[in-house]
Amino acid sequence: MRKVVFISFIISLFLFPEQIRAQVADSSFVLKEQDYLELVLANHPLAKKAENLVEYGEFSVLAAKGGFDPYLFSKNKQKYYENKNYYLLSNSGVSLPTRLGISVQAGYDWNEGEYINPENNLPETGLWYAGISVPVLQGLLFDENREALQKAFVDRKYYENEAQLLLNNVLLEASNYYWTWVQKQYQKSIIEEAYAFAETNFKNYKTAYEQGDKPAIDTLEAYIQLQNFSVQRQQLSNELESARLTLFTYLWEESISPLEEQSLRAPSFENISINHLDSLRTNLPLFVEDHPELRKYDLKINKLQVENRMKREKLKPKLDLSYNILQTPSTSFSEIRGLDNYNWGLSFSFPLFLRSERGALKMNNIKLENTNYEYQQKRLSIKNKARQYEFAFKNITDQLNTYESVVTQYKRLLKAELRKFEIGESSIFLINYRQQSLVSAEMKLIELKAKYNMYYRQWLHSLGAKPELWMAQ
């Protein structure tokens, strides 16, 4: 009778492990990957860094636009010696650079003194002036300010792209740690069940040996099995704790302080939606063309093209024309004389050999050509890497399906062995062997399930998928 009860307990322990797991886990909180990744994106310091990168790009554009800000100026120069005012020269005004290359300016001149140069003689009330300055050749179509602004627009996209790359790397690393934690928790559960089985087995054999029903060798065999599972349980306890602590390094509160540790439970494993998998395969060319790593080269090429345009502009002669109308201060429109009074200026310069300018342009062309080569190589590399992870994911999916069948068959073998033992046609050696084989298969199955999810995330990462795709199942 004792033997029948013993065997019935062993069978129930192995055939209904889910009920035991549910009873143990009721007091803990289930942490789903989607909730976990949302917390990472919301509060992790590196996610905050990504937000700052986007803002940095916006401020770089703001700084470049400063090249077109109007500015006030005032120049004053006086010489006073031995109670004599030799001269006092004063020039104040406002200048407005424009995106057309033309500068508009207006101001007021007022000079006085006993020894002032004739060219600086002005009416007692001074002179108002207003006019423009035009770079007729070099600088008319493109100049340093417009170059800086266009490069800032490229930089803004660059920092947005860097933010996405940073988020993708954070998501991949966080996801890998998450599934490592899930794997260790499930494997720990399997070993706990196996240990409980071996412990009960040993106690029953020990009692049977003391009552003279079983030989001592059976008790020793049961004890060795118990010790083996005890070692595995201790090892997995350490690995699970390490995985749990690593998981919490990615969990932060809004105040940028680490989230308080709490009891967490892994969710059940679920298969990825076929629609999502088909979408990844079908849209591979689109993912490649829009990949953040590839966009880095696009933006680098755009920036070099802007620099090229500026260097070509430097090949032109400098010919700057300025023109200002002059007017004495007046409160009556009838006294305004229109264009009768003015000053103008013309300046010209041109290096005869243009060696510096031509050399800089040639070097920039080589940079541009080399970047195009790098772009083509990176494009092929991204495409092949994505296909590698697609193949790896398909391969792990096939292995997973196979091992699910293997575990089912090992359960049948153990169940059959227990039935044979019940009628006296088996031994503790065979039962331990069947149990060890089943535990190894279950551990491998959990490892494959974790890899299944990891490989899917690595596939997403290789495609440069945006964060919203990481949340979809």
Side-chain angles (χ1 to χ4, degrees):
M1 182 66 182
R2 289 195 307 268
K3 185 176 180 181
V4 173
V5 174
F6 168 51
I7 296 300
S8 299
F9 176 81
I10 292 176
I11 293 174
S12 64
L13 189 63
F14 260 81
L15 296 184
F16 306 104
E18 291 79 7
Q19 298 176 5
I20 299 173
R21 296 178 195 175
Q23 293 171 3
V24 174
D26 282 343
S27 60
S28 57
F29 171 73
V30 176
L31 179 63
K32 295 182 178 180
E33 187 194 24
Q34 182 177 355
D35 298 331
Y36 165 71
L37 293 181
E38 286 178 354
L39 280 173
V40 171
L41 289 178
N43 301 324
H44 194 276
L46 291 181
K48 297 295 184 183
K49 179 183 177 181
E51 293 178 8
N52 285 342
L53 285 175
V54 175
E55 289 190 16
Y56 190 91
E58 294 291 343
F59 290 136
S60 69
V61 173
L62 178 64
K65 287 181 178 179
F68 301 98
D69 287 347
Y71 60 90
L72 299 174
F73 62 87
S74 180
K75 300 177 183 179
N76 297 277
K77 186 176 182 181
Q78 183 180 25
K79 180 179 179 181
Y80 192 88
Y81 181 68
E82 293 184 348
N83 296 323
K84 292 182 181 179
N85 182 20
Y86 276 64
Y87 58 82
L88 173 61
L89 307 179
S90 178
N91 175 26
S92 301
V94 61
S95 179
L96 174 62
T98 70
R99 298 191 189 184
L100 299 176
I102 301 172
S103 293
V104 180
Q105 65 243 356
Y108 174 71
D109 287 338
W110 180 71
N111 303 331
E112 66 174 10
E114 297 183 28
Y115 300 103
I116 193 169
N117 288 335
E119 67 182 63
N120 293 325
N121 285 331
L122 297 176
E124 291 183 3
T125 55
L127 281 178
W128 290 104
Y129 67 89
I132 61 173
S133 178
V134 183
V136 180
L137 296 176
Q138 184 183 129
L140 178 62
L141 301 178
F142 205 60
D143 58 17
E144 284 81 1
N145 285 340
R146 281 175 281 184
E147 178 195 21
L149 184 59
Q150 289 195 15
K151 289 170 73 172
F153 287 140
V154 176
D155 283 340
R156 180 170 60 184
K157 294 180 180 179
Y158 171 83
Y159 287 114
E160 290 173 355
N161 191 67
E162 285 296 299
Q164 184 178 340
L165 280 172
L166 180 58
L167 287 179
N168 282 357
N169 291 336
V170 170
L171 285 171
L172 177 62
E173 194 171 60
S175 182
N176 283 339
Y177 286 134
Y178 174 84
W179 288 109
T180 299
W181 167 72
V182 171
Q183 174 186 336
K184 297 304 178 184
Q185 190 167 101
Y186 271 95
Q187 288 181 334
K188 176 70 161 41
S189 178
I190 291 171
I191 291 299
E192 290 289 355
E193 294 165 9
Y195 179 84
F197 174 87
E199 184 179 35
T200 303
N201 209 7
F202 169 69
K203 288 178 180 178
N204 280 280
Y205 269 94
K206 183 179 179 182
T207 301
Y209 164 71
E210 292 171 348
Q211 294 176 354
D213 294 336
K214 294 292 181 181
I217 190 67
D218 287 354
T219 305
L220 178 60
E221 175 70 17
Y223 183 62
I224 291 173
Q225 185 83 332
L226 178 64
Q227 287 181 314
N228 286 333
F229 286 131
S230 176
V231 171
Q232 292 183 51
R233 186 174 70 162
Q234 292 172 356
Q235 181 179 350
L236 276 168
S237 293
N238 291 335
E239 293 175 358
L240 177 58
E241 180 63 13
S242 176
R244 188 185 69 86
L245 292 175
T246 303
L247 186 74
F248 270 98
T249 62
Y250 279 83
L251 294 174
W252 294 71
E253 295 180 346
E254 292 183 6
S255 58
I256 313 300
S257 58
L259 193 68
E260 183 179 352
E261 294 183 21
Q262 54 185 292
S263 179
L264 298 176
R265 178 160 51 98
S268 58
F269 288 100
E270 296 181 1
N271 290 334
I272 308 299
S273 167
I274 297 298
N275 292 334
H276 289 138
L277 300 178
D278 290 341
S279 177
L280 295 185
R281 295 187 183 98
T282 303
N283 295 316
L284 174 61
L286 298 178
F287 278 112
V288 171
E289 294 302 324
D290 196 40
H291 197 286
E293 286 288 352
L294 208 57
R295 281 206 303 270
K296 284 177 65 175
Y297 289 94
D298 276 329
L299 295 170
K300 186 177 180 181
I301 289 172
N302 290 343
K303 201 167 184 177
L304 287 171
Q305 287 173 340
V306 172
E307 292 177 1
N308 243 21
R309 184 178 178 185
M310 188 66 236
K311 294 182 187 304
R312 286 195 300 269
E313 191 73 16
K314 293 287 186 181
L315 298 175
K316 299 177 181 179
K318 287 185 178 180
L319 181 62
D320 299 330
L321 173 66
S322 62
Y323 178 85
N324 294 292
I325 59 172
L326 306 176
Q327 176 65 46
T328 56
S330 175
T331 58
S332 173
F333 284 102
S334 63
E335 297 182 14
I336 297 177
R337 300 180 181 180
L339 302 179
D340 294 340
N341 300 312
Y342 59 87
N343 66 27
W344 70 280
L346 186 67
S347 64
F348 174 83
S349 65
F350 184 66
L352 292 179
F353 299 113
L354 291 173
R355 286 182 289 194
S356 176
E357 292 76 8
R358 288 187 291 114
L361 179 60
K362 292 293 184 182
M363 288 190 295
N364 205 66
N365 281 333
I366 290 175
K367 287 182 182 178
L368 188 58
E369 188 175 0
N370 286 341
T371 304
N372 275 302
Y373 292 147
E374 292 171 3
Y375 175 90
Q376 297 299 330
Q377 174 61 31
K378 192 66 178 179
R379 185 176 181 277
L380 180 60
S381 175
I382 288 172
K383 182 178 179 181
N384 287 341
K385 187 175 181 181
R387 294 175 64 185
Q388 288 172 5
Y389 278 117
E390 178 186 354
F391 178 79
F393 177 76
K394 181 181 181 302
N395 187 46
I396 204 72
T397 303
D398 294 340
Q399 291 182 45
L400 185 58
N401 293 334
T402 301
Y403 243 85
E404 284 177 344
S405 175
V406 169
V407 169
T408 301
Q409 293 168 10
Y410 272 125
K411 285 183 178 179
R412 290 177 180 173
L413 286 174
L414 178 59
K415 182 179 179 181
E417 204 64 50
L418 291 171
R419 296 298 184 191
K420 290 173 64 178
F421 181 81
E422 187 177 359
I423 61 177
E425 295 183 359
S426 185
S427 66
I428 182 62
F429 304 100
L430 290 175
I431 290 176
N432 284 351
Y433 173 74
R434 298 298 187 196
Q435 182 197 11
Q436 188 62 55
S437 298
L438 175 59
V439 169
S440 297
E442 287 181 324
M443 297 284 279
K444 181 65 176 178
L445 179 61
I446 294 299
E447 179 185 347
L448 290 174
K449 286 183 176 181
K451 285 185 176 180
Y452 169 85
N453 287 279
M454 288 180 181
Y455 280 15
Y456 175 70
R457 273 71 187 176
Q458 288 173 335
W459 186 12
L460 285 176
H461 183 266
S462 70
L463 291 171
K466 295 181 179 179
E468 51 265 27
L469 285 178
W470 290 72
M471 306 301 174
Q473 294 291 334

